[in-house]
Amino acid sequence: MIVPMLKYSFLVFHQDYISFLEELQDIGVVHVVQKEIEVPEDIKRKYAEINRYSQAIEFLKKRETDETKKNIDLKGEEILKDIIQKQTELEQLSIELEETDKELAKARRWGSFSAELIQKLEAENIHLHFYSSNRKNFQHLKNSGLPVEIISEHGNQLLFIHIKTDEEKTELDAEKMHLPQVPFPELELKITELETRIIDINACFDKYAADSIAQLESCKSEQIELLSLDEVFLNTSKQAENKLMVLEGWVPKTKILSINSFLEINEILYLAEKAKPSDKIPVLLNNNRFSKLFEPIGSMFSLPDYAELDLTVFFAPFFMMFFGFCLGDAGYGLLFLIGAGIYKLKAKKEFKPYLSLIQLLGLATIIFGAVSGTFFGINLIETEIALTDRFRNLFLDPNKMFNLSIALGGIQIVFGLFIRAVNRTRQYGFSYSLATYGWLIILLGSISYVILSDLGIIQKNKIILYLIMAVGGFFILFFSDPGVNIFVRIGKGVWDIYSTVTGIFGDLLSYIRLFALGLSSAILGFVINDIGLQILGSSKILGPIFFAIFLILGHTLNILISSLGSFVHPMRLTFVEFYKSAGFTGGGEEYKPFKR
């Protein structure tokens, strides 16, 4: 559910405003109303500074270091500055090292040479020219009596030197090359220096990772608090010649006692009023222990608008069922349940809700695995196991599982229509929900007529069916939009009939994916077991070993692949089919109180 909000307006004398904000920050319940004004450059710079702290912290956290903690005599801002400088230097060193490696590969082919000696030879009118050629061509030049000498050989390709004076005008039939500016021993020395510097920088990062993350996080928190104060000042109105500071904010109804007590003790003038439909109201969710576990899933799409219903409590049971349906193996569900339970014993407090969610999804998987008769890829319907003889007739075969997926889809769509009717009544009034009730009359009335007539409770009489259609159609045609004239209403009603009739069958067929994914997971598990049994019979000694290894790897891979699909597709059914049926609009702003 969405927690009701009250809008507070605080009126504070300008000399007391700083202390008022500091105490307000300590209480931490007021969501400050954001005005649509241009953000000053100093606030932008603080955002950038916080971002740099975040990047530095994430960078250090990714480093795996066994360094013991060492006290670094630097302030947080100095550490951040040093990290940024060293990151820039490291990037430049890496580029330089790569380029030097390429130069070394070329220079190594020419061996060690002295640039000073070459200059002395040129002063004596002895010039060295460098060429590349194949072995045959070089041998021809050598036989011609030319002063040529091999420097290095690379397969059929030779690097050689030609010695001549200025008077000689000889041009060789070979590719002319240029001697590297730096000989390879010097390049090797340079690479060693670069690598040493890179090692030193990484060692410094390791020290920071072992000792300075908490310090950086503390500095980041300080910057965030300062930024919060600046943003509050930015959203404060000044009245009475800047003597009176006016601040507006939202407070959840569940937390008004703390703020009211503070305001009365400090004799702060304030005004509290209920939210208006035109206000941009932040959203704070407050669900029971079960539904709260599914809030992160709903937040991946959008928070609800303040004026509408929070659908978390409504989609949570369906999501849990759909996950179990898609994974559909009782053995896999048992692993989820036990594995998450064991990990809970040593997990951090903030991570435990996710493990509880995994356990619930595992429980649903066990239930649907039991319904379909699948346990670690073993088909309990067809396998002769004494333990399952009594219950074999209770398992649902693929045809019944297919029908079950369609039935669950229909139930969720109809349930979504009920929620839409309640939501529209709450937001706009009862008359705006009549069109939705019209669809419910048609759907539920038609289904009830078919079931009751087939059971012989009522006689088959098409007049009853026509009457149901007429009543539902009347509400759809004339109450699709009560706020416009009768002719526009009818037009919108006709369009509503067309779009709903064409869309509802597509929505219903989307739920077949539950059956398809469950079937594919079961088939993959069966194939893994079948191949494993073949491996088991291949050798008396190695067969059991490879059999166990293959089963573990195969089922692990199947769990990973199937779990991904089992999470994504129920989420898709929730966000598309169910949210559309329920008339979910979303776009709510998260409640973010001004606090330390």
Side-chain angles (χ1 to χ4, degrees):
M1 60 171 287
I2 297 173
V3 179
M5 292 280 176
L6 290 177
K7 188 176 185 179
Y8 276 70
S9 298
F10 308 101
L11 289 83
V12 187
F13 187 59
H14 70 100
Q15 291 183 347
D16 302 327
Y17 196 55
I18 296 292
S19 59
F20 165 75
L21 290 181
E22 289 175 349
E23 292 187 61
L24 200 66
Q25 199 172 25
D26 287 332
I27 297 171
V29 297
V30 179
H31 176 104
V32 176
V33 173
Q34 302 289 320
K35 297 180 179 178
E36 296 195 8
I37 52 180
E38 187 176 351
V39 180
E41 288 299 321
D42 61 329
I43 289 184
K44 290 180 180 178
R45 284 194 293 271
K46 286 181 180 178
Y47 270 115
E49 183 75 4
I50 291 168
N51 188 43
R52 284 192 286 270
Y53 273 109
S54 298
Q55 290 175 345
I57 291 166
E58 289 302 312
F59 170 74
L60 295 179
K61 282 183 176 179
K62 290 178 181 178
R63 301 189 70 84
E64 295 182 3
T65 175
D66 296 327
E67 289 274 342
T68 55
K69 287 194 172 185
K70 300 177 181 179
N71 292 325
I72 297 174
D73 190 21
L74 288 175
K75 296 180 180 179
E77 55 268 25
E78 293 173 340
I79 294 171
L80 176 64
K81 184 178 179 181
D82 190 46
I83 289 172
I84 293 173
Q85 288 177 345
K86 281 184 167 57
Q87 284 178 324
T88 304
E89 184 184 357
L90 185 62
E91 186 177 349
Q92 293 171 346
L93 288 172
S94 299
I95 294 171
E96 190 176 355
L97 180 61
E98 186 178 352
E99 292 174 350
T100 308
D101 278 333
K102 292 177 182 177
E103 291 178 18
L104 177 64
K106 295 177 182 178
R108 198 185 296 277
R109 299 161 63 189
W110 294 101
S112 179
F113 60 87
S114 170
E116 184 181 351
L117 178 60
I118 292 173
Q119 288 177 357
K120 288 180 179 180
L121 290 172
E122 288 179 347
E124 298 295 330
N125 200 26
I126 300 172
H127 301 280
L128 307 180
H129 296 270
F130 305 92
Y131 293 90
S132 174
S133 177
N134 57 46
R135 191 178 298 277
K136 182 178 179 181
N137 189 47
F138 173 80
Q139 196 61 43
H140 174 72
L141 296 173
K142 184 79 172 175
N143 295 337
S144 300
L146 292 172
V148 292
E149 289 295 336
I150 296 175
I151 299 297
S152 62
E153 302 181 22
H154 306 276
N156 191 42
Q157 202 72 14
L158 304 178
L159 296 178
F160 64 91
I161 187 172
H162 176 218
I163 308 168
K164 66 176 183 178
T165 61
D166 282 344
E167 291 79 12
E168 299 177 18
K169 304 295 182 183
T170 311
E171 291 294 335
L172 303 187
D173 183 19
E175 182 184 358
K176 195 160 188 178
M177 306 289 288
H178 294 284
L179 192 68
Q181 295 181 353
V182 182
F184 84 86
E186 293 182 24
L187 291 174
E188 286 182 333
L189 181 61
K190 183 180 179 181
I191 287 174
T192 302
E193 292 173 351
L194 290 172
E195 289 176 341
T196 302
R197 180 56 185 158
I198 289 172
I199 290 170
D200 291 342
I201 290 174
N202 281 312
C204 184
F205 287 152
D206 289 339
K207 290 179 183 177
Y208 286 147
D211 184 71
S212 303
I213 291 177
Q215 191 174 354
L216 289 172
E217 287 178 336
S218 176
C219 289
K220 176 186 171 183
S221 297
E222 290 175 7
Q223 291 293 324
I224 290 173
E225 287 186 16
L226 292 173
L227 178 62
S228 298
L229 279 170
D230 288 345
E231 287 183 330
V232 171
F233 270 106
L234 189 64
N235 291 285
T236 301
S237 299
K238 298 178 182 179
Q239 305 294 333
E241 298 181 351
N242 297 336
K243 300 292 184 182
L244 190 63
M245 315 298 279
V246 181
L247 180 67
E248 294 181 330
W250 295 99
V251 179
K253 201 170 182 179
T254 54
K255 300 180 180 181
I256 60 174
L257 291 178
S258 58
I259 188 69
N260 287 349
S261 175
F262 159 72
L263 295 171
E264 290 168 6
I265 291 171
N266 292 275
E267 298 181 346
I268 302 295
L269 187 62
Y270 72 96
L271 176 67
E273 55 184 337
K274 291 183 178 180
K276 299 175 184 177
S278 58
D279 290 328
K280 188 176 181 181
I281 311 164
V283 174
L284 174 65
L285 302 181
N286 183 24
N287 289 299
N288 56 41
R289 288 181 62 186
F290 171 75
S291 302
K292 196 172 186 65
L293 299 175
F294 292 83
E295 284 181 5
I297 297 173
S299 299
M300 293 172 73
F301 183 80
S302 172
L303 284 171
D305 184 75
Y306 179 79
E308 65 181 342
L309 290 171
D310 173 26
L311 300 187
T312 307
V313 68
F314 302 115
F315 80 72
F318 284 101
F319 188 94
M320 181 178 163
M321 283 194 298
F322 292 164
F323 182 93
F325 203 127
C326 291
L327 193 55
D329 189 298
Y332 295 169
L334 198 61
L335 284 180
F336 277 34
L337 189 64
I338 296 173
I342 293 172
Y343 189 55
K344 253 187 181 182
L345 299 176
K346 62 176 183 178
K348 294 181 179 179
K349 184 178 179 181
E350 60 269 20
F351 192 67
K352 286 185 178 181
Y354 297 101
L355 295 173
S356 297
L357 177 60
I358 291 173
Q359 286 185 301
L360 287 177
L361 298 178
L363 179 62
T365 305
I366 293 172
I367 293 170
F368 277 88
V371 168
S372 62
T374 308
F375 187 83
F376 283 114
I378 302 170
N379 188 343
L380 300 179
I381 299 175
E382 299 178 359
T383 306
E384 295 294 333
I385 299 176
L387 291 174
T388 61
D389 285 343
R390 297 180 182 178
F391 314 106
R392 190 168 290 126
N393 61 323
L394 300 177
F395 296 138
L396 300 185
D397 59 31
N399 290 330
K400 292 178 180 177
M401 292 297 290
F402 176 87
N403 294 333
L404 180 60
S405 67
I406 297 293
L408 286 175
I411 291 170
Q412 191 181 42
I413 289 173
V414 171
F415 182 59
L417 290 174
F418 271 110
I419 294 173
R420 179 193 285 186
V422 174
N423 219 353
R424 293 184 73 83
T425 301
R426 175 179 170 175
Q427 289 179 281
Y428 310 110
F430 180 70
S431 61
Y432 283 83
S433 66
L434 288 175
T436 305
Y437 282 119
W439 282 112
L440 288 170
I441 289 169
I442 291 174
L443 291 173
L444 296 179
S446 301
I447 294 170
S448 300
Y449 168 77
V450 172
I451 293 173
L452 293 175
S453 60
D454 286 345
L455 293 175
I457 297 174
I458 62 172
Q459 292 183 348
K460 287 189 177 181
N461 189 340
K462 290 187 177 180
I463 295 176
I464 298 175
L465 188 59
Y466 294 151
L467 184 61
I468 291 170
M469 295 290 184
V471 173
F474 172 78
F475 287 129
I476 295 168
L477 284 174
F478 292 97
F479 290 94
S480 285
D481 189 352
V484 297
N485 65 61
I486 190 67
F487 299 106
V488 177
R489 288 191 200 184
I490 293 173
K492 287 191 172 184
V494 172
W495 173 253
D496 188 19
I497 292 171
Y498 170 76
S499 58
T500 303
V501 169
T502 55
I504 198 166
F505 289 106
D507 292 344
L508 195 58
L509 291 175
S510 293
Y511 289 86
I512 296 175
R513 71 184 69 237
L514 299 174
F515 163 75
L517 286 167
L519 186 64
S520 64
S521 173
I523 290 174
L524 281 173
F526 173 76
V527 170
I528 290 167
N529 291 340
D530 190 47
I531 296 173
L533 289 173
Q534 295 178 29
I535 294 172
L536 179 63
S538 62
S539 172
K540 291 183 178 180
I541 299 174
L542 296 178
I545 298 173
F546 287 113
F547 167 73
I549 294 172
F550 180 78
L551 282 188
I552 292 170
L553 292 177
H555 281 294
T556 300
L557 187 61
N558 190 25
I559 288 172
L560 293 175
I561 295 172
S562 301
S563 297
L564 179 62
S566 300
F567 186 82
V568 171
H569 288 282
M571 191 161 57
R572 191 259 184 205
L573 291 172
T574 299
F575 295 159
V576 179
E577 277 73 23
F578 179 62
Y579 274 18
K580 183 173 69 174
S581 299
F584 182 79
T585 55
E589 179 186 357
E590 184 183 358
Y591 166 72
K592 293 181 179 178
F594 172 57
K595 64 179 181 179
R596 297 194 183 280

